[in-house]
Amino acid sequence: MTMAVKPIVELRNIHKSFGTNRVLQGIDLDVEKGNVVCIVGPSGSGKSTLLRTINHLEKIDKGTIRVDGELVGYRQDGRGLRELHEHEAARQRRAIGMVFQHFNLFPHLTVLENLVEAPVRVLREKQDIASRGARELLRRVGLESKADAYPKSLSGGQQQRVAIARALAMKPKLMLFDEPTSALDPELVGEVLEVMKQLARDGMTMLVVTHEFGFAKEVANRMIFMDEGRIIEQGDPKALFNSPQHPRAREFFARSK
């Protein structure tokens, strides 16, 4: 009898409101190690907020989130859930890489220095070891020759590839991508998606909020359609895109073809 594999990400009954705006309304989601899950849906459906709850950048109002079996943002004691101190939450965040729409690189640091900063300061890696690792990551994203350049001299696509490499420098067990190509000129989108495809081939667990349906159909193990803070439909990306069952999903994908 084979043992069931425990998901690396487990969300149970996640609720989140901003004032009277109920942004997440009872989200349940499991993600298995090595899988790529793409989250799609109309603007305002709660996709980005959902991602930000997974590394406790947004606090949830109700529910539980576990990454690799560990409660995120809280600990359990005899009286229920207690929120972690910020330094404990920051420790958890190290294992969860996140790439945003905007690149958020340090403009006063070179590309190499951007990658080395957190491993040296946070992980206490020796400078030479961190530099070697950073150069290898730059090679993986095709930017080895840009190690000594400053962010302002790079294209948007190059900056986003640096941002991905910087997140990988912390050796995360999970990567979150929040519309990583939406701020890019169309001709630069492909180079970022190619890096993400390679990460998927390398077995990185990824949750990706995206409008790049071609990427989702090619790479994702599962696609999730969200609307009004709920998961409305999910399944095989090609099947969901080509023949969605829910009326809201049909309407959404019809506008995308």
Side-chain angles (χ1 to χ4, degrees), residues 24-60:
L24 299 175
Q25 303 189 61
I27 299 287
D28 291 308
L29 177 64
D30 286 345
V31 180
E32 286 71 39
K33 185 176 174 63
N35 277 8
V36 178
V37 175
C38 284
I39 304 171
V40 304
S43 180
S45 57
K47 308 181 299 294
S48 294
T49 300
L50 179 63
L51 273 201
R52 291 169 67 85
T53 64
I54 293 172
N55 61 5
H56 204 56
L57 286 176
E58 293 288 357
K59 299 174 186 178
I60 57 176

Side-chain angles (χ1 to χ4, degrees), residues 50-148:
L50 179 63
L51 273 201
R52 291 169 67 85
T53 64
I54 293 172
N55 61 5
H56 204 56
L57 286 176
E58 293 288 357
K59 299 174 186 178
I60 57 176
D61 300 327
K62 183 180 176 184
T64 58
I65 297 171
R66 284 182 166 83
V67 172
D68 209 13
E70 184 179 8
L71 268 175
V72 172
Y74 299 87
R75 61 183 169 79
Q76 189 108 37
D77 65 17
R79 289 171 291 182
L81 293 179
R82 299 241 169 199
E83 189 172 357
L84 297 179
H85 292 298
E86 178 51 36
H87 73 274
E88 295 174 290
R91 174 192 60 77
Q92 289 185 330
R93 242 175 247 130
R94 296 175 200 167
I96 306 171
M98 187 155 187
V99 177
F100 300 89
Q101 295 178 32
H102 300 287
F103 326 118
N104 300 326
L105 300 175
F106 297 118
H108 62 290
L109 300 180
T110 66
V111 164
L112 186 69
E113 289 166 345
N114 263 280
L115 267 65
V116 167
E117 177 87 356
V120 169
R121 286 180 177 270
V122 179
L123 300 182
R124 304 296 185 206
E125 281 188 9
K126 289 192 166 69
Q127 184 82 27
D128 60 333
I129 292 172
S131 292
R132 272 204 305 276
R135 289 185 185 280
E136 170 57 22
L137 286 170
L138 289 176
R139 186 194 63 75
R140 282 177 66 188
V141 300
L143 291 172
E144 198 173 11
S145 65
K146 300 292 186 182
D148 298 321

